[in-house]
Every structure is written in C-alpha cells, then in structure tokens.
Amino acid sequence: MAQSSASHSADSLSAELFDRAQRSIPGGASRSTVLTSPHPIYIAEGEGAWITDIDGNRYLDANNNFTSIICGHADPVIDKAVRAQLGRGTAYSMATSIEIELAELLVDRIASIEQVRFCNSGTEAVMGAIKAARAFTGRPLIVKIEGSYHGTYDHAEASLDPHPNSWGDAKAPTTVAYAEGTPASLNGEVAVIPFNDAEAAWAVIRDVGERCAAVLFDPMPSRVGMPAINQEFIAAIQGAAREVGALVILDEVISLRLAHGGAQQLHGIDPDITAMAKIIGGGFPVGAVGGRADVMTVFAKQGDARAAVPSGGTFTANPVTMTAGVACMEQLDTAAFDQLNAIGDQCRAGLRAGFADADVAWQVTGAGSLFRIHPNDRPISNFRDTRHSSDEARVMADLQRELLTREVYLSDYGMGCWNLATTADDIELFVNAVIASLPNPAAHFVR
Ligand SMILES: Cc1ncc(COP(=O)(O)O)c(C=O)c1O
C-alpha cells in the first residue's frame, strides 16, 4: 500500500476517488451517510473492531455499518461459512434449506414471532410489516413516532426530520412528508406521536380509531436520541392499539442487538409484527418480517389465489445472506450479549466521567452496545428535545472530523455501537479521543 496520507488531505487517494465518483454518481455516493467532510473515506478492508482506508489510515469503528456488524469485521466463522456457500453458487431461482434454518432460529429466540418472511433490507421489512397490517385489518393508516427512522418507504419516513416551523402540536405532531414529491394523501395515512408520551399516544391512537391499521415504533430510536423508553408509553401503545383494533409493529432493525430475544424481551413488549434486518444478515443485505401466524398468513399464497400481500424479490432469502445470518446469529448466545453490554457500559461510563472531568455540558444516552453522544445537557425524551440546532450540528460534524484524526470513525450525529471484537483498550482509546476532540473550552458548549 502507498505511504499513509491523512484521510482528509487534498492529496489523499480518497479525495481523488471522490472527484472521480462525482462524475458518474449524483452527489458522489449512493449512500448519503458515507459523505464525511470534506470527502468520503474509501475503505480498503476491515478486521475485528478496526477498518483501514485506501490511504493506509486505520480507524476504530464506532459505527459498524450503522449497527449491522456485530461479530466484527471479517469474522472468521462467517467468512468460512460464506466462502463454502460461494463455491456452490450465490443465488438460484429455487428454494434452499438454509432459509428455513434462519427462520427457525428467529422463531426460537424471539417470543412474539411464530413465522418469518425474508427480504433484503430493513426498509423492505418495515414496508412489508405495514402492508401486512393494512391487509390484515383492512385499514389504511399507521401511527408512528415523530423523528423515528424506519428506512425510506414513504409512510415509514413521514415526520423523520421536520423543521420546527412545521412541528405543530407537541401532543399531536403534524405529519410531514420527508421526500419532496411525496403525495399529499400521506397526511391521511400517517398520524404522528411524540416518543415517551403515554397520554399523547392514547389520545392520537383513539382519535384515528378505526382507520388505524398499526402503530409502528422502535424501542431505542437513534434519530430520536436513544432515550430509555418508559413502560407507560409501551403500555399506552399496546393498550390503545388493541382498544381500536390495530396491530403493534415493533421495529427491531437496530434493537435486536440489545438482547438474545431482542428489545421485546428486555421491555416485555408483545408486538403482533416485528421488523428485523442488520445483524440477522451477518454483514450481508437482509430484512425480515416476523409475527403472529394468523397475521403472517397475509404473505401466504392461498391455493391458486395469490397472497393478500404478495412479496418476494430476486435476491430474497439468497443462500449467501442466509448462511451469513445463521453463522452470525449462532454466535450470539447470552454470553455474547453480556460481553456487548459490558463494552457499552464501559463506553457510556467513560464518556460520562470524561465529560464531567472536562466540565462540559455533554451527555450520552443508549443501552447495551448502542450509544449516542449529545452536545448538550437538556433532558432528552423525544425528537424535539434531541434535534440539533445548527450550532450543535456543526459541533458534531467537527467532532467527527476531529475523531478521524485520532483513529476513530463515528457518525456525524453522535450515534455509535460496538462489535464483539472491540476490547477494553479500544474503548479507552475511543473515550480519550472523544474527550480530546471536544470543542475548545471557549465555545458555548461548555458549562
Ligand atoms: C430502526 C430502523 N429501521 C429500519 C431501517 C432501514 O434499514 P435498511 O437500511 O436495511 O433499509 C433502519 C436503518 O438504519 C433502522 O435504523
């Protein structure tokens, strides 16, 4: 490899590649989250907890492909299983038995799931869950949490990042389309509630009543700030949904990494449908909808008649993804979750102590192997509390840039997570790097 050159310098190979990329790819990348400033960093390889860019710079990975890598990069067990499958082909237009193995594994470990259908992303899983709920109930509308990210399906991304000018009532937020060009009919098809507000959940769900097919929520929503979910809120969602005859859809795309049986095991949630993705693919593109058998029947062909909700896809349940998923999930026993939780606890405790020592008004939320750093100390319970001011957004972008110079990759909004290959020394390096990267004490984010 060429001599190492600072990842963000104008003469780096990454800078050169970005110039080239902008000619053939609008914006220079197919995935906007890779756009670090001043240009994306092009990765050559990863191993365990670390990744190396094409200029030879190494980074401790505090993002893990937005939480999907849980065993570590290039995990040897997944690597071996996938290589064996690659030698036998990657995808056929007929069924393979490995799909059944991964389905059985999920049914065995996640209490509310009796059956599973696979797809290729979390976006597709949430879309499938919504379509299933609509077909099962014969109703058009979903209720979702303000600010919560569930992928890019029109209904699921409503009110993902509304500007304060369009927030509306804090107890009954306005439904705001995310992508320009989204049909205005969305307003009648999505209602929005604030996270952790049981009273608002009861009121909004009762108000939409018989039009409501499902209430969709993520128990540890990253864009809402990863506050701890309160039990009254869970009870309100479940109680109100059942009262009006709607289903509960739990988005466990990220939160499945919190416990052997997912966040539903931790919090005693009993969803009708669960959307999954990320870790269940062992590092490959994946999604899955799981749930009660009577609800899941909407996906089944009825004799010669097509399913109520037809689903499929060229690469759905392909044997490479299914093999990687089984090889990954089988390693995730309760001891593995204990290890992930210990790493996460060390990280959050280290950051809290570091912020206190530095006397800065910063905080960290999250649980298990997940964390989110906030450049403020206001109480965080929902999206409106969490949303960054433009000054805060700038400070977090600066933090990301500073961390890159200290061998750490973190998302530009402070959300991170750890994989099983991460050591106590790695966490110490991370905490020290964050503290060393805090804005100059003259800035106003200091007490
Ligand atoms: C909670 C949640 N749901 C759904 C999705 C969409 O998953 P994917 O990126 O696989 O489409 C994400 C992605 O980050 C997510 O965090």
Side-chain angles (χ1 to χ4, degrees):
M1 188 156 296
Q3 199 187 353
S4 161
S5 157
S7 58
H8 48 282
S9 69
D11 63 351
S12 66
L13 293 175
S14 280
E16 227 174 81
L17 277 184
F18 190 50
D19 279 346
R20 184 176 137 204
Q22 287 173 93
R23 292 195 280 276
S24 55
I25 307 171
S30 301
R31 192 181 183 192
S32 51
T33 47
V34 304
L35 296 174
T36 48
S37 171
H39 54 73
I41 293 167
Y42 290 81
I43 295 299
E45 59 190 290
E47 188 185 356
W50 289 76
I51 45 182
T52 306
D53 73 17
I54 54 167
D55 288 288
N57 303 294
R58 293 179 77 231
Y59 309 95
L60 174 64
D61 191 356
N63 181 284
N64 286 293
N65 194 29
F66 284 88
T67 78
S68 65
I69 304 294
I70 195 162
C71 291
H73 292 286
D75 173 70
V77 176
I78 300 175
D79 183 272
K80 186 166 173 227
V82 167
R83 279 177 200 277
Q85 178 57 45
L86 288 177
R88 297 192 290 266
T90 59
Y92 330 102
S93 41
M94 285 175 276
T96 58
S97 63
I98 189 76
E99 173 189 1
I100 309 170
E101 266 185 60
L102 188 54
E104 287 173 348
L105 184 152
L106 296 171
V107 167
D108 283 349
R109 70 162 72 186
I110 302 169
S112 69
I113 296 183
E114 293 174 335
Q115 292 193 317
V116 179
R117 286 282 285 220
F118 290 102
C119 50
N120 290 305
S121 68
T123 292
E124 258 189 89
V126 171
M127 176 181 72
I130 292 172
K131 289 170 90 169
R134 288 188 196 132
F136 187 78
T137 59
R139 299 170 172 194
L141 180 144
I142 63 154
V143 173
K144 70 153 295 196
I145 311 289
E146 189 174 36
S148 192
Y149 183 66
H150 301 279
T152 54
Y153 180 51
D154 287 351
H155 295 75
E157 70 176 8
S159 291
L160 168 59
D161 188 20
H163 188 272
N165 292 344
S166 56
W167 278 354
D169 186 345
K171 293 271 179 194
T174 305
T175 300
V176 182
Y178 189 58
E180 284 180 28
T182 306
S185 58
L186 193 79
N187 291 321
E189 292 160 5
V190 181
V192 180
I193 54 176
F195 194 67
N196 265 344
D197 187 332
E199 190 191 9
W202 275 108
V204 170
I205 297 167
R206 280 182 168 152
D207 185 49
V208 291
E210 286 186 356
R211 287 191 297 131
C212 185
V215 183
L216 165 68
F217 76 109
D218 171 350
M220 172 98 334
S222 63
R223 298 276 175 179
V224 175
M226 289 190 166
I229 192 166
N230 72 52
Q231 283 300 322
E232 297 73 38
F233 185 61
I234 295 171
I237 287 179
Q238 297 195 147
R242 274 157 205 159
E243 184 181 288
V244 303
L247 302 184
V248 172
I249 301 173
L250 191 67
D251 182 341
E252 291 240 45
V253 167
I254 287 184
S255 65
L256 216 55
R257 65 157 48 232
L258 289 176
H260 189 260
Q264 55 195 270
Q265 178 188 27
L266 280 183
H267 300 296
I269 307 170
D270 184 23
D272 302 289
I273 307 177
T274 300
M276 295 165 282
K278 305 218 192 231
I279 63 167
I280 67 165
F284 285 78
V286 77
V289 185
R292 268 170 39 199
D294 60 335
V295 175
M296 293 298 290
T297 303
V298 301
F299 293 114
K301 237 179 133 207
Q302 303 297 328
D304 288 339
R306 63 178 163 78
V309 180
S311 79
T314 308
F315 291 101
T316 289
N318 74 78
V320 178
T321 296
M322 297 293 105
T323 298
V326 170
C328 172
M329 296 301 287
E330 280 183 341
Q331 295 184 64
L332 300 179
D333 54 13
T334 50
F337 284 98
D338 289 347
Q339 189 184 329
L340 287 163
N341 293 348
I343 297 167
D345 287 345
Q346 184 196 343
C347 167
R348 285 182 298 274
L351 288 173
R352 279 181 194 126
F355 295 150
D357 286 351
D359 207 21
V360 291
W362 285 42
Q363 61 181 316
V364 59
T365 53
S369 54
L370 295 164
F371 67 91
R372 183 160 167 179
I373 297 171
H374 304 264
N376 56 61
D377 64 354
R378 54 181 178 263
I380 288 193
S381 181
N382 59 38
F383 164 74
R384 297 186 188 189
D385 301 332
T386 298
R387 189 178 188 277
H388 289 154
S389 65
S390 48
D391 277 353
E392 288 173 336
R394 182 183 43 74
V395 161
M396 293 309 283
D398 288 350
L399 177 71
Q400 181 186 55
R401 253 192 315 277
E402 278 297 315
L403 285 174
L404 287 169
T405 68
R406 294 184 168 87
E407 296 195 305
V408 170
Y409 172 65
L410 178 70
S411 72
D412 67 357
Y413 66 101
M415 190 279 291
C417 77
W418 302 112
N419 72 43
L420 276 167
T422 315
T423 64
D425 286 350
D426 291 332
I427 298 293
E428 205 181 315
L429 180 149
F430 174 75
V431 170
N432 291 338
V434 171
I435 301 306
S437 303
L438 290 172
N440 175 320
H444 33 252
F445 297 93
V446 175
R447 281 181 212 284

